[in-house]
Structure formats: C-alpha cells, structure tokens
Amino acid sequence: MTGAGPIVVYCPAAAPGALSRTGSADYSYGFVLQRFRPVLEQLGPVTEVHDLAELTAALAVSARTPIVLSLAPVHQAPVGCGAPVVPLFAWEFDSLPYWRDGDTDTNWSAVLQQSAAAITLSHHTAEVVADAGVSTPVRAIPAPLAERFPQPADHLSTQQLTITGGVVDSRKTEPDRIPPAPEWDRTQIQLDFSGGSLDTGRLVGFHRPEEWGVWSASAELRIILPVAVSGPVRLTFHMVGLGPNAGRRITVSLGDATGSITLPVADGPAPVSLTVRRSSRVLTLSGVIPTPSPTAHDTRRLGLRLTSLAVTPRRSWRPRRPAAASPQAERTVSLPGIVYTSVFNPADGRKNWQTMVTAFCHALQDEPGATLVLKMTHRSSAAFLGSLLTILRECRPFQCRVIALHGHMTDQEMASLAAATDFYVNTSTGEGLCMPLLEFMSLGVPALAPRHTAMAEYLDDSNSFPIDWSTYPTCWPQDPSRRWRTHQCRVHWDSVVAAYRRSYAVACDEPRRYAAMRESARVTIADFCNDTRVARLMADVLEVVGAR
C-alpha cells in the first residue's frame, strides 16, 4: 500500500468529553473513529478536528491539500471546505433522507454528489446510495474490529465479571434491584414526564409516555429519582385522578418517610412534605385504583395522569446516617450457566431491546441456568431503568435471570464479558454495522439475530440462529415532518422466542455443534473486518481521491 498523503479526520462526536456523553446524538461516530484511526495512521499522517473552525485551521497550515474524512451524518459533511471530502457513515434505512425544515435543506443525495467519494460501513448502505442515483464513487468498508480484543481464555473459565457502576439483577426484589445514586445536594429537582423526555425512563408501573405525560397502569407506582434524597423535602406532583381516583387520598413513601396526597379532580399541583431520615431514590405511590373508564374508547386500566414532579428542600439538613453505597463502586457479578449478552444504547428505539427481554423471560422462564446480560451504553440510567423494572414486573414469574450493567467497562472488562458469553443477541429494526456484535463474534461468540441490513453480510447458519423479520413503513428519525418515506425491519417476537429455545438446547445438549458455531463466528469476522483488509480497501479509496 502506498501512502495516501495527509488525512484530516472531521469528527464532532470525538470532541473532548464527547465520548463520556454516550447515548447523545451521533455519539457512536466517536467510537467508529477509535476503531479506524490505527488503520488510517498506516496510510498517512492524520490530523483530527472536531468543528469547522478547527478544520479551517488545519487546512490553512497543511503543505499539501489533504483528504478530509468526515465521520458524521452525511448532511454534516463539510463539503465545499476547499479540500476533497469523503463522508464515512452508517445508515440502516432503505432510502436516503431529504427534507426542508424552514430555511434548511437536508438532502443526503446532494451532499454525496458533491463529495469526492463516500465510504459506507456496509454493502446495504452502499446499495441504498446507488439506488438514490448518486454517481459519486462509493465503497463499503467495515470498521476494523477483528483484532480489537486479545483472544480470551476458554469462555467457560470466565464466570466472574467486575464492573464499575450500577447493576440491576432480576434475582433481587424490586427495591433492591435499583442501583445506588449520588447523594442529593439539596438543589431543586425538576422531572418532566412528557413524551420524549428522558425522565419518563424513571417510571415503574406506568403506560408508555404520551405527548403530555403518562397514565398509571398499576396500584403501586414508583418514580426512581436521579439522586438519593434525605432531609426535609417538599414533593409537588402535577397530576389528576381519573374516575374513582379523583379526590382519592393515596400514600407517598420515600425512604423511611410516609405521607399522603389527595389526587386532584382537575390537572394541578398535589404537594406533600416529608422528612426523610434514611436516604432513598425510590419514591412510591400506593393506593391507586387502576380501572378502565366506562365512557371512554381507551380500554386500558388507568388511575392517575402525571405530567411532572418537583423535589424541593424545605430547610437545611445535616444527615446522621452511614454513607450510602457509591454508584461508582466496583461490583462483581457471577455469571454461571448459559449467558446471552447484548450491548446497546437503550434510548435508541431502533434497538428494540424490550422485545429481547420479554422474549427471553418467556422462552426460558423455567430455566434457572439461563442469564441475559444487557450492557447499557447510555450515560444515564433513566434511559432504561424504569422500563426494565416494569418489564420484569410484568413478566414474572420466571426462573431465568436478567442482569443490566450500567457504567464504564474497560476493553479488558468487555473482553471478559465476551469470554463469559455463550450467545450475543440482537433484535434491532436495522443496523448500519453493529460493532458490538462483530466484536463478540470475533472472540468466538455465535449470535441470535435477524439477517437484515448490515448484518446480512456476515451472519449465516454456521455462526448464528436466525430471527424472522418483515419490513414496515416508517419515517427517518431526524425528519421533522414525521412522514412515512422509508422502511424498517419488524422483528417477529415468536421467532425470537424460538431462537432462544433452539440456542439453549444446542449449548446444553450439542457441544460439537456449539463448538463449530464458535469457530465459525471467529473465522467469519477475522476474514470480514481484519486490519489488513480494511487498510487495503481504505487505501484504494484514498488513492483514487488523491489522484483526482
């Protein structure tokens, strides 16, 4: 491979501190850059910039015109910057987005047409670009992941996992499942439960959030606060009681403190004052009567409507209690038996993780030796905690085990998790590549996954159990019009159940077949995205662009 000349990598998601904000928009491009950078440095000097000002400065001091590699959504690519631009991107839908929002045009085809070339992380995306009529050269190049982790010891020997952060374990009772939180600094907390707010993930026992807020679904409700609260506190709910709950007094509990409120007849504030001596982040409402309205078309069991909650200190407080467990303490998790693992951002609805959990609890409900590990990559536990606890409540009884891990894991800890894993699970509606799946497969972990979008390139019967799917119309996630102009893939829940049962039987009763699947997973990924192959493909693209 010949040198490609200077390369400027434009990646806003890799700005200082950005990778600590996991789960924010487009954050994964920072991780894509981490994987590609060692390969790029084999091809030429690399300068990394994070905004247009830094890009302009880098171009001004470069003795030769560099190639600008843009790792960002296509509409953010800095075309017209005075140097050839090559967008490198992932896309899981079957059409390229275009829309107008006020004076702003978003048209990926137009941006790609102005680019010197384009690199997609999968052939699926490259075909979508071609179908859009873009004449710019496009090459599919996966992220170099085959050699990311050292090959671990035999996977059966790694059954103890250490993590710094929170752990949710279905084997514990519901209050004890909730990981600890930092102590309250006694500044006001304002929680918004309208649709789209991250705070809706703090709710247990409620229906799905709507634009205005949430309806309760059960007699006992929980709100998981972001901090552990203690001392004199005033709680102000904005809520209304429905039917027999209008004007009804219900119980409010926080730590060792208990009070009551009267549910308003019309939407308005419902305050209660408590003195909490034993700090807690779990706020419980009990005594609600869930009932369908006899005059409404909505047949759900509803009790109260909640829109917001304010937590306000009443006066200064010096707690007299032992320090609470640190949310960043190191914890050890034992993983015996057959372990299924998935790594994903729970705030990304395309990951469809609720299907993964409910199907697991149903398929292996009588198997105490089965464990599903969910490594949550969002920075805030509010992105999943309430939803997960609600699912575990609704799926009981079951003997299998569900564990959610929330917190930073080093590369070595991730390799240890892979070594303890028997199967990787994906139930998403589409993937631009799915780097965690590739990383686990590179260590010999077979998969349960649908063979659609990018995953169709590297999954087959030798290394995975298939999950059935079909397409359905939807909108692009960024499109403000919310018009249905593209498609996603709907995973069939009963097929996920069947895949769990087939895979569990193979792991338990067919050791030769399972060993062959592990070897096939490792070999497939070693061929698909090794450093040498990726470097050669990347060099070909950069050489063509540089020769123009």
Side-chain angles (χ1 to χ4, degrees):
M1 292 179 291
T2 59
I7 303 168
V8 174
V9 176
Y10 173 76
C11 186
L19 292 183
S20 66
R21 299 190 293 271
T22 54
S24 57
D26 310 321
Y27 80 98
S28 60
Y29 279 101
F31 293 103
V32 173
L33 173 56
Q34 285 184 350
R35 310 303 183 257
F36 268 102
R37 179 148 191 163
V39 167
L40 294 173
E41 289 174 343
Q42 299 175 28
L43 305 178
V46 175
T47 301
E48 182 179 323
V49 299
H50 309 116
D51 57 41
L52 294 178
E54 291 182 4
L55 174 60
T56 300
L59 296 180
V61 300
S62 180
R64 294 172 54 190
T65 301
I67 295 171
V68 178
L69 192 63
S70 174
L71 275 72
V74 170
H75 61 281
Q76 296 179 18
V79 292
C81 66
V85 174
V86 179
L88 187 159
F89 66 102
W91 189 244
E92 66 271 28
F93 297 91
D94 64 356
S95 60
L96 296 179
Y98 57 91
W99 65 78
R100 173 178 287 275
D101 186 12
D103 295 331
T104 303
D105 262 334
T106 297
N107 187 327
W108 282 28
S109 295
V111 174
L112 291 170
Q113 196 65 49
Q114 299 173 58
S115 302
I119 297 171
T120 65
L121 294 181
S122 72
H123 281 96
H124 164 79
T125 309
E127 291 168 2
V128 171
V129 173
D131 291 344
V134 175
S135 60
T136 299
V138 179
R139 175 65 68 90
I141 305 177
L145 299 167
E147 299 158 58
R148 169 157 161 68
F149 295 121
Q151 293 295 314
D154 183 82
H155 79 287
L156 294 178
S157 66
T158 306
Q159 298 296 323
Q160 296 290 331
L161 181 70
T162 300
I163 179 175
T164 301
V167 177
V168 179
D169 190 340
S170 66
R171 293 275 167 88
K172 297 181 178 179
T173 59
E174 187 171 282
D176 293 334
R177 290 174 184 167
I178 300 171
E183 292 297 319
W184 188 27
D185 62 4
R186 300 195 64 75
T187 58
Q188 186 183 60
I189 302 167
Q190 186 70 43
L191 302 180
D192 171 23
F193 301 124
S194 60
S197 169
L198 194 63
D199 291 332
T200 59
R202 303 185 184 280
L203 301 171
V204 183
F206 290 81
H207 291 288
R208 289 180 179 272
E210 301 179 41
E211 184 176 349
W212 49 264
V214 290
W215 284 110
S216 65
S218 61
E220 184 174 84
L221 312 169
R222 288 199 170 97
I223 302 173
I224 304 166
L225 302 176
V227 293
V229 170
S230 63
V233 61
R234 183 179 180 86
L235 308 173
T236 305
F237 303 85
H238 275 262
M239 56 171 54
V240 61
L242 178 69
N245 294 287
R248 179 179 175 81
R249 293 194 69 79
I250 64 171
T251 301
V252 180
S253 303
L254 179 60
D256 56 353
T258 300
S260 63
I261 56 175
T262 300
L263 294 176
V265 176
D267 194 11
V272 60
S273 295
L274 302 174
T275 299
V276 184
R277 291 179 171 80
R278 188 180 72 246
S279 68
S280 175
R281 66 179 305 198
V282 183
L283 179 59
T284 302
L285 307 179
S286 54
V288 180
I289 302 174
T291 181
S293 173
T295 59
H297 295 294
D298 191 338
T299 59
R300 293 177 299 173
R301 292 167 60 84
L302 310 174
L304 61 84
R305 185 175 70 193
L306 176 65
T307 58
S308 67
L309 167 65
V311 182
T312 308
R314 289 180 13 239
R315 61 178 184 270
S316 60
W317 170 256
R318 289 186 177 181
R320 298 178 179 177
R321 50 176 170 69
S326 168
Q328 296 303 314
E330 191 173 89
R331 293 171 173 81
T332 300
V333 179
S334 178
L335 297 176
I338 306 302
V339 177
Y340 297 81
T341 297
S342 193
V343 181
F344 56 89
N345 172 13
D348 185 345
R350 292 168 289 184
K351 298 308 176 184
N352 190 32
W353 62 271
Q354 294 87 349
T355 292
M356 181 190 307
V357 178
T358 57
F360 175 80
C361 293
H362 179 77
L364 301 176
Q365 59 185 318
D366 297 324
E367 302 294 348
T371 300
L372 174 63
V373 177
L374 311 172
K375 175 59 182 79
M376 305 297 197
T377 62
H378 198 280
R379 65 192 181 280
S380 173
S381 63
F384 71 90
L385 192 51
S387 298
L388 178 59
L389 294 175
T390 298
I391 289 172
L392 296 179
R393 177 188 285 189
E394 292 173 347
C395 287
R396 61 188 179 191
F398 55 88
Q399 296 184 53
C400 53
R401 184 185 186 196
V402 178
I403 295 177
L405 307 177
H406 181 248
H408 175 70
M409 292 179 67
T410 65
D411 285 354
Q412 185 55 55
E413 288 167 346
M414 287 296 290
S416 297
L417 175 57
T421 298
D422 296 276
F423 297 100
Y424 189 94
V425 189
N426 179 297
T427 56
S428 71
T429 61
E431 291 288 355
L433 183 63
C434 196
M435 293 197 301
L437 172 56
L438 289 171
E439 290 169 347
F440 273 65
M441 289 181 68
S442 75
L443 297 175
V445 179
L448 282 65
R451 296 173 192 172
H452 59 49
T453 55
M455 295 183 290
E457 287 187 56
Y458 51 84
L459 296 179
D460 58 35
D461 288 344
S462 72
N463 58 32
S464 64
F465 289 92
I467 293 173
D468 296 339
W469 56 276
S470 54
T471 58
Y472 67 97
T474 189
C475 58
W476 298 303
Q478 308 94 332
D479 186 355
S481 74
R482 312 306 292 170
R483 290 169 57 192
W484 288 2
R485 295 190 285 184
T486 191
H487 294 84
Q488 284 182 293
C489 302
R490 176 179 287 111
V491 168
H492 298 175
W493 186 85
D494 56 345
S495 182
V496 183
V497 170
Y500 277 126
R501 289 173 174 168
R502 289 197 304 271
S503 61
Y504 191 81
V506 167
C508 292
D509 303 327
E510 301 181 51
R512 290 186 178 180
R513 182 184 174 189
Y514 177 71
M517 293 187 75
R518 289 188 64 87
E519 179 63 11
S520 178
R522 187 192 63 78
V523 171
T524 297
I525 304 310
D527 292 341
F528 177 65
C529 55
N530 63 75
D531 288 6
T532 301
R533 177 175 183 259
V534 171
R536 175 174 53 79
L537 294 173
M538 185 67 72
D540 290 346
V541 173
L542 299 181
E543 184 175 353
V544 169
V545 173
R548 288 188 167 190

